[in-house]
Amino acid sequence: MKIQAINGFKDILPEAVGRWQYIEQQARDIFERFGFQEIRMPILEKTELFVRSIGEATDVVEKEMYTFVDKGIAMRPEATASVMRAFIEHGLHVQQPVQRLYTIGPMFRHERPQKGRMRQFHQLDAEIIGASEPRIDAELIAMGRMLLDELGLNVSLELNSLGCPVCRPPFKERLVLFLEERQEALCDDCKRRTRTNPLRVLDCKKPSCRAVVQEAPSLLEVLCPDCDRHFVEVKTALEELRIPFQINRFMVRGLDYYTRTTFEFLTADLGAQAAVGAGGRYDGLIEQLGGPPLSGIGFAMGLERLALLMEQQNNRLIPAKGMDIFVAALGTATIAFAGQLTHALRHQGAKAAIDYSGRSLKAQLKQAGRINARFVLIVGEDEWMKGEAILRDMQTQEQRPFALSGSTEEQARRLLAMVWTAAAP
């Protein structure tokens, strides 16, 4: 019986890796244009970190975390809490008052696998810590928008405000009263959430619950003056940057630490999993985790969803990766020399391949085509004895002689000069 991957854990095969690498490369480039630095954290963290940050009554903590109960540790279900833990533990605020950090890596949630969401999934995560100005919110959103544009993706931006500890408690009381009067129409989860985490009812995807919340009160109606002013300035800054958005007064996030600005980048091309990226402000979280009283805002984007959306929308052709040169050794007498030359080519920075089996030229040319080699150096026994080889351009099929004179290193340098000159646009 063959052993297969665990349900919800997926292999990323070589033909798909190129798209993933392209997304990561574009993300790193854009994030660093905005002054972000990369940080890498461990996959395992103390369970308490997520209970205190995400919230004990959230679905993530209650149902979805992979937790080693006897050890008190969990596999990270999201990145923000881990970034905050590292920020506090290493006193990064002492080095620089405002930190811009990003990380790329796997997260883990035990939920039903579906299109664009696995139990091991990967995220691009960006955080700005120590800045509370509304224009910072707009700048972070603009960075996310720039990445999606660079990837050629067609998405929309939705915006909301979740208020603060001043205006949210009275709103929760209003919302609970509203929901209690409509319990019969709610799903079992939302009946439970009415008392434990009423804001999450607004985010339920079940049709009966969605119908109920259309008439629910909105936090935007009861924002305190500071939160209202902050939200107005965020919208103004986005308009100045010419970033279109829509207000979604029912948008909430599944994690308790969010305050004020929240946002989602949405697509209609991924079914129920409409969000390709989401985030918001989390003022108070750092202090809650034992750090200084600093503000913060961040977002995460799912790599699986970005890759799937790129494939579906087909807006961007990812350049095929291949080898610079394939060395085709014909006959056993040439294999040792061809191996040395291939090694020298790699030392010179070339992506070079060789087949040591001594197969026919036809078979080796087919192999060169399969690995997308731009050039093939054909080394036959008779030609090798005469100090000659043939360089074939696999795109134009043009062939030219190549002299096997000088040291192996000298041959590699001359060969690469020919290859890169011919391949130049």
Side-chain angles (χ1 to χ4, degrees):
M1 182 177 178
K2 292 188 294 184
I3 298 175
Q4 296 183 330
I6 300 168
N7 186 31
F9 293 75
K10 184 179 179 181
D11 299 311
I12 304 168
L13 300 180
E15 59 263 27
V17 167
R19 181 174 284 108
W20 282 59
Q21 290 176 333
Y22 179 78
I23 294 170
E24 293 170 7
Q25 175 186 341
Q26 297 304 312
R28 285 190 165 93
D29 176 59
I30 289 174
F31 292 173
E32 289 169 12
R33 289 187 220 169
F34 282 74
F36 282 70
Q37 295 179 301
E38 185 173 7
I39 184 172
R40 302 186 184 189
M41 301 83 60
I43 287 172
L44 293 177
E45 297 274 10
K46 293 181 180 177
T47 305
E48 181 188 5
L49 172 66
F50 304 113
V51 173
R52 287 172 60 185
S53 61
I54 296 174
E56 193 168 4
T58 59
D59 286 353
V60 174
V61 170
E62 285 187 334
K63 303 177 182 180
E64 298 170 0
M65 278 207 307
Y66 284 96
T67 304
F68 299 86
V69 179
D70 57 330
K71 303 293 185 182
I73 57 178
M75 299 175 76
R76 62 186 187 194
E78 58 99 42
T80 299
S82 292
V83 173
M84 296 307 109
R85 190 269 309 151
F87 174 85
I88 295 166
E89 181 176 343
H90 300 286
L92 297 185
H93 62 285
V94 177
Q95 303 173 23
Q96 190 170 320
V98 177
Q99 287 280 339
R100 294 169 177 248
L101 303 171
Y102 77 89
T103 190
I104 303 174
M107 313 295 159
F108 304 86
R109 294 188 190 180
H110 189 276
E111 54 184 331
R112 182 173 61 85
Q114 49 196 301
K115 188 176 183 180
R117 168 55 63 87
M118 305 299 289
R119 289 173 174 168
Q120 175 178 307
F121 58 101
H122 301 75
Q123 286 186 338
L124 310 168
D125 182 271
E127 314 285 348
I128 301 178
I129 309 167
S132 60
E133 298 84 1
R135 289 187 181 276
I136 287 290
D137 302 24
E139 183 180 284
L140 184 77
I141 294 171
M143 183 175 76
R145 174 83 257 183
M146 188 178 293
L147 173 58
L148 295 168
D149 288 343
E150 185 66 29
L151 297 176
L153 300 181
N154 180 24
V155 299
S156 60
L157 169 64
E158 291 190 352
L159 199 65
N160 194 21
S161 175
L162 291 181
C164 69
V166 173
C167 49
R168 195 185 294 182
F171 170 75
K172 280 188 176 181
E173 292 180 8
R174 285 182 58 187
L175 181 60
V176 168
L177 289 174
F178 172 87
L179 296 173
E180 284 180 339
E181 294 174 356
R182 295 160 176 81
Q183 287 290 287
E184 292 183 2
L186 299 178
C187 69
D188 290 340
D189 277 342
C190 286
K191 288 176 182 177
R192 173 180 53 82
R193 291 169 180 153
T194 297
R195 278 297 176 186
T196 60
N197 199 348
L199 287 178
R200 294 292 295 138
V201 179
L202 301 177
D203 195 39
C204 184
K205 300 299 187 288
K206 295 186 177 177
S208 59
C209 297
R210 292 180 71 88
V212 168
V213 302
Q214 291 305 309
E215 300 177 0
S218 168
L219 246 170
L220 295 180
E221 300 166 357
V222 294
L223 291 178
C224 67
D226 286 344
C227 287
D228 185 60
R229 188 182 311 111
H230 186 98
F231 195 48
V232 168
E233 292 183 18
V234 171
K235 292 184 289 184
T236 300
L238 287 173
E239 290 167 353
E240 291 172 352
L241 295 174
R242 299 180 182 178
I243 297 174
F245 61 88
Q246 293 180 324
I247 301 298
N248 180 353
R249 65 192 186 96
F250 297 119
M251 183 206 301
V252 296
R253 305 295 304 129
L255 314 177
D256 278 357
Y257 53 63
Y258 284 111
T259 60
R260 292 190 172 178
T261 308
T262 54
F263 58 93
E264 291 184 345
F265 293 105
L266 304 173
T267 177
D269 294 336
L270 292 180
Q273 295 300 310
V276 295
R281 183 163 283 284
Y282 44 80
D283 300 344
L285 174 61
I286 300 166
E287 189 173 12
Q288 181 183 326
L289 293 175
L294 296 174
S295 301
I297 184 171
F299 70 72
M301 292 185 178
L303 272 165
E304 282 84 356
R305 297 185 191 182
L306 292 173
L308 183 59
L309 197 57
M310 286 188 70
E311 184 177 2
Q312 289 187 354
Q313 294 186 349
N314 198 27
N315 286 347
R316 185 60 54 90
L317 179 65
I318 308 303
K321 289 194 173 183
M323 305 302 289
D324 295 316
I325 188 166
F326 180 92
V327 180
L330 306 178
T332 56
T334 65
I335 288 178
F337 162 75
Q340 294 171 13
L341 179 59
T342 303
H343 190 64
L345 287 166
R346 291 165 178 164
H347 260 301
Q348 296 291 331
K351 290 182 286 185
I354 184 173
D355 182 349
Y356 292 108
S357 66
R359 294 184 297 169
S360 68
L361 176 60
K362 182 178 179 180
Q364 294 199 50
L365 288 175
K366 282 186 177 179
Q367 183 179 348
R370 284 194 295 268
I371 64 172
N372 197 28
R374 176 64 197 276
F375 293 89
V376 175
L377 184 73
I378 303 169
V379 186
E381 286 187 330
D382 292 343
E383 290 80 5
W384 176 63
M385 294 296 292
K386 299 175 184 177
E388 295 178 353
I390 297 172
L391 181 65
R392 174 180 289 192
D393 187 324
M394 294 294 282
Q395 288 186 2
T396 66
Q397 301 303 309
E398 178 186 354
Q399 296 188 166
R400 68 187 74 178
F402 178 76
L404 300 176
S405 57
S407 68
T408 305
E409 289 72 20
E410 290 171 348
Q411 293 175 35
R413 282 193 291 272
R414 285 191 291 106
L415 183 56
L416 282 183
M418 292 176 64
V419 165
W420 285 332
T421 299

